[in-house]
Amino acid sequence: MKNVRNQHLINALGQRVRNLRLQKKLSMERLAELSDIDYRQVSYVELGQTDASISTLSALCKGLEISLAELMDADELK
């Protein structure tokens, strides 16, 4: 079975989460609270250290008050 992990996309998504968090002037800890996930998970996503599940991404979107479609904006993930 071929590995489909795309590190470039994982890194770009992490940077997108970080940029959105900073735009909203949220700390990692506060985003974690709003998302109902552990702050370390936010860190792992932002640093591109994890291939985040759809559930984690959905939780982050809740915390950022954006849609999953907005998070996954293809132009922003280049």
Side-chain angles (χ1 to χ4, degrees):
M1 177 181 263
K2 184 178 179 184
N3 183 353
V4 295
R5 183 180 172 98
N6 181 331
Q7 193 60 49
H8 173 75
L9 180 60
I10 292 167
N11 291 341
L13 185 58
Q15 188 63 47
R16 176 105 171 105
V17 169
R18 182 176 191 275
N19 290 343
L20 290 165
R21 176 178 63 77
L22 293 174
Q23 284 175 14
K24 294 181 180 279
K25 297 180 175 40
L26 297 171
S27 67
M28 272 194 232
E29 292 82 3
R30 183 63 182 141
L31 177 56
E33 286 174 18
L34 294 170
S35 303
D36 199 30
I37 61 176
D38 190 280
Y39 80 93
R40 289 172 290 205
Q41 188 66 19
V42 176
S43 176
Y44 297 150
V45 169
E46 287 190 8
L47 294 172
Q49 294 177 343
T50 187
D51 194 353
S53 71
I54 195 73
S55 297
T56 298
L57 295 177
S58 179
L60 288 168
C61 288
K62 180 183 109 183
L64 291 166
E65 298 180 331
I66 61 170
S67 69
L68 194 54
E70 187 176 348
L71 177 66
M72 301 301 290
D73 183 328
D75 289 334
E76 296 292 330
L77 293 177
K78 290 182 179 179

